[in-house]
Amino acid sequence: MVSPPPHGLPGHLVDFVGALRTHQVPVGPGETVDAAAVLTALNLLRREELREGLAAALLRRSGQRAVFDTLFDLYFPIALGRGQSEVEVPWTSDGEVDLDALRDILADLLRDGDDAALRELARAIVDALGQAGGGPGQGGPGQGGQGPKNWSAYQVLRQLSPETLLARILSDLMAGNTDQNQAFAEEVARREIRQRIAEFRKMITEEVRRRTAETRGRDQVAKTAVPKQAEQVEFLSAYADQLAMLRRTVHPLARRLASRLAVRRKHAKRGQMDLRRTLRRSMSTGGVPMRPAYRTKRPGRPELVVFCDVSGSVAGFSHFTLLLVQALREQFSKVRVFAFVERADEVTHLFAPGNDLASVMSRVLREAELVTFDGHSDYGGSLASLVEHWPDAVGPRSSLLILGDARTNYRDPNLAVLRRLIGQARHSHWLNPEPRKQWGSGDSAALRYADLLPMHECRTVAQLADVVETLLPV
C-alpha cells in the first residue's frame, strides 16, 4: 500500500520535482512555483490535463518528455492496486483464466480502437496474469491483487500474444470494404492495427510498472524504468532506436554550439596593444593615453582532419560525431575525413553538403576500402596507411581529431607514426567513447596514446558537446 506524502500535495510535488532533477531534468524554483499554481488551477481528477499542465510548467526542452511521462505515471498513478474496471477478465469453472475468451475480447477492442476500454482491460489482465513465476488463474477471479509481489509484462504478453490477432482483426475490418483500391485500404488498416497492438503492449508495460512501484517503491523502479535523455545515452550501449534519436539531435546541438562559439568570440580577449592608434588617441587628452587601442583578433578557421574508427564496436559513436562535424563544418576552412578499420581510406566526398546524412555511414562501410584481413580494428596499420597514401593530409594549419576506443586487438599501436602526425599538426585531440576507468585494460592502448596527445572521455552526447565546444576555434 502506498503511504500518503508527509506534507500533502505540496510535498508530493516537491518529491516529483526532485525525481526529475535526479534524472537530469533541470527544474528550478521558478518552475516549481509554476507547477504549484497548475495544481491549484486544474481539476486533479482530469489526469491528462494535469499531465500536460505540469509538463508545460516544468519542461523547457522536447527531449525531456519521455523522462517526464514515465515519472508522472509513477508519482501520479492512474489507480492504486487493482483499481476499478468495467472490463472483466473471463474465468473458467476451474478457476483458470479463459485465454480464448480473453483474446476474443481483446480482438474486439483492438478492432474498435477503444483506448479507454483497452486500458481498463490491460489493468484487469495484469492483475490476473501478471504475477511473475505464476500462470493463469493466480488466486481466481477477484483475488489477483492480494498476493503478487513481482509483476511481469513478458509473462502477460507471452500468454496473450496480441500480434497473432492481426489477421483476424484485419479480416473483420475489411469484410465490408468495397473500395476500388482495396490493396491500399488493406495496407492502411494493417498499419493501424499494428499501431494499436503496440499501444496495447505499452499499456501492459505501464501497468506492470505501476504495480511494481506499489510493492517495491517508486525510487527503486525509477532507477531502471525511466529512459535516459538523448544527451545521457552512452554511445557504446545505445540500441537502434536510441541511435536514431541521437541522430535527430545533431542539428539542434550544432546550432547551440555555434551560438556559444559566437558568444565566446564576442567576449574573447582583445589582441596586443596598437601603439600607433593609442598615441593618436592621446593627442585629444594632452598626450595622456586615456583610451588604449588594441589590435582586434581575427577568429581562426583551421583545417580539420578527422581520423575515425568505424568498426562495429564504436560505429555509433563515430557516426554521430561525424554528423556533428558535418553540421559544424562552416567553423573550419576545410574538413577532411578518413575512416579506418584495418586500413584508412578518405571518405570526405561522402560528407558533401546535401548528402543524406542518415545513410552516410552505410555508404562508408560499403564503398571505402577499410578491411584487409579479419575486419578487426588495427590502429597502428591504419595510421601507417594514412601516412603512406596521404602524407600531406596533416599540416601546420591542421587540427587532428581522432575518434575511437584505442582497442588495438593486441596489434602494434605504432606510436612513432602518431607522434609524427602530432608533430605535423597545429592541434591534436583524441575522443574516446569508453569510460576512463577502462582505458589501458585488456587490448586497450588508450593510456599509451594519451601520453602523446590529449585524450577526452566522450561516452555521451553531453560529454561530446562539452569537448567539441572547448575545441572549436575562437
Side-chain angles (χ1 to χ4, degrees):
M1 185 68 180
V2 178
S3 59
H7 301 290
L9 189 56
H12 190 66
L13 176 61
V14 170
D15 292 342
F16 176 55
V17 168
L20 289 172
R21 290 172 177 164
T22 300
H23 289 86
Q24 312 302 320
V25 179
V27 180
E31 288 85 357
T32 306
V33 171
D34 292 341
V38 168
L39 292 180
T40 62
L42 295 180
N43 184 346
L44 301 184
L45 297 179
R46 296 182 180 270
R47 187 167 175 269
E48 291 308 310
E49 293 182 7
L50 178 62
R51 181 196 300 269
E52 298 304 323
L54 290 178
L58 296 172
L59 303 184
R60 291 296 175 265
R61 289 168 51 191
S62 58
Q64 302 166 346
R65 188 57 194 257
V67 175
F68 173 87
D69 284 337
T70 304
L71 288 173
F72 180 88
D73 290 336
L74 291 176
Y75 279 79
F76 299 89
I78 194 171
L80 294 178
R82 186 176 187 275
Q84 296 180 350
S85 174
E86 297 180 1
V87 180
E88 294 292 336
V89 172
W91 297 83
T92 66
S93 57
D94 298 331
E96 300 283 338
V97 174
D98 190 339
L99 289 177
D100 291 335
L102 181 58
R103 284 166 53 83
D104 291 339
I105 296 174
L106 176 59
D108 291 341
L109 294 180
L110 289 171
R111 180 197 61 207
D112 298 337
D114 190 341
D115 289 341
L118 278 171
R119 190 169 294 279
E120 291 189 4
L121 178 64
R123 193 184 311 158
I125 288 175
V126 168
D127 192 73
L129 300 175
Q131 182 180 3
Q138 290 281 340
Q143 302 295 322
Q146 296 181 5
K149 296 298 182 184
N150 298 309
W151 303 88
S152 170
Y154 167 78
Q155 177 170 285
V156 174
L157 295 171
R158 178 177 58 82
Q159 295 181 73
L160 285 179
S161 300
E163 292 81 2
T164 61
L165 298 173
L166 189 149
R168 183 201 305 186
I169 301 171
L170 183 62
S171 177
D172 292 344
L173 288 177
M174 301 302 296
N177 190 294
T178 58
D179 292 347
Q180 294 181 350
N181 195 350
Q182 189 164 356
F184 176 77
E186 182 176 337
E187 180 61 24
V188 171
R190 180 180 285 105
R191 294 187 180 187
E192 185 176 356
I193 296 168
R194 286 175 177 165
Q195 179 64 29
R196 291 176 185 174
I197 292 174
E199 289 297 323
F200 177 74
R201 292 178 66 91
K202 183 179 177 181
M203 292 176 186
I204 292 292
T205 302
E206 292 174 350
E207 181 64 19
V208 167
R209 184 187 303 142
R210 179 183 71 83
R211 299 299 295 269
T212 303
E214 291 181 2
T215 57
R216 297 174 56 192
R218 287 190 298 254
D219 295 339
Q220 186 68 23
V221 173
K223 291 179 181 179
T224 56
V226 178
K228 293 182 178 179
Q229 297 183 63
E231 294 185 355
Q232 304 301 325
V233 173
E234 296 192 7
F235 294 111
L236 298 187
S237 61
Y239 48 83
D241 290 343
Q242 289 178 323
L243 290 175
M245 176 180 63
L246 290 178
R247 285 194 290 270
R248 290 193 295 269
T249 67
V250 168
H251 288 287
L253 176 59
R255 286 195 297 269
R256 291 203 304 272
L257 293 178
S259 63
R260 292 176 189 172
L261 178 61
V263 173
R264 283 170 54 199
R265 285 175 173 168
K266 180 178 179 181
H267 296 287
K269 292 182 179 180
R270 293 169 292 187
Q272 295 179 347
M273 180 178 290
D274 189 331
L275 184 59
R276 185 174 180 178
R277 290 174 57 204
T278 300
L279 291 176
R280 290 180 62 184
R281 286 184 179 182
S282 67
M283 294 176 64
S284 62
T285 57
V288 180
M290 300 293 292
R291 295 184 299 126
Y294 297 89
R295 293 188 178 93
T296 303
K297 277 188 175 181
R298 295 183 179 180
R301 298 183 65 211
E303 299 176 0
L304 179 64
V305 177
V306 184
F307 188 65
C308 61
D309 183 357
V310 294
S311 61
S313 60
V314 293
F317 164 68
S318 296
H319 187 189
F320 183 85
T321 308
L322 288 173
L323 295 181
L324 182 59
V325 169
Q326 166 70 9
L328 290 169
R329 67 182 306 153
E330 65 180 15
Q331 307 296 334
F332 304 91
S333 60
K334 184 178 181 180
V335 177
R336 297 185 70 178
V337 181
F338 295 88
F340 73 90
V341 178
E342 291 181 276
R343 56 162 292 167
D345 195 5
E346 185 167 9
V347 293
T348 307
H349 62 284
L350 298 179
F351 289 84
N355 285 3
D356 180 16
L357 299 182
S359 62
V360 165
M361 185 57 70
S362 61
R363 290 189 62 192
V364 168
L365 297 175
R366 185 173 63 252
E367 300 177 17
E369 297 181 5
L370 308 175
V371 178
T372 59
F373 180 59
D374 60 1
H376 294 107
S377 298
D378 183 355
Y379 282 75
S382 300
L383 288 168
S385 66
L386 173 65
V387 172
E388 177 184 357
H389 298 288
W390 297 274
D392 300 327
V394 179
R397 297 188 68 248
S398 302
S399 291
L400 176 62
L401 188 64
I402 302 177
L403 314 178
D405 57 6
R407 293 202 170 269
T408 63
N409 294 290
Y410 300 102
R411 296 169 177 171
D412 180 14
N414 210 341
L415 301 178
V417 172
L418 180 58
R419 189 179 293 108
R420 172 183 166 184
L421 290 172
I422 294 171
Q424 295 175 188
R426 182 179 180 181
H427 304 288
S428 300
H429 295 273
W430 190 306
L431 308 187
N432 192 327
E434 282 198 335
R436 190 179 299 271
K437 62 183 179 181
Q438 295 182 11
W439 295 0
S441 64
D443 62 343
S444 173
L447 296 180
R448 300 175 68 184
Y449 286 132
D451 289 337
L452 304 180
L453 78 169
M455 184 173 288
H456 309 274
E457 179 187 285
C458 292
R459 292 185 294 122
T460 66
V461 174
Q463 288 181 322
L464 178 62
D466 292 340
V467 172
V468 171
E469 180 186 1
T470 303
L471 302 183
L472 284 175
V474 178

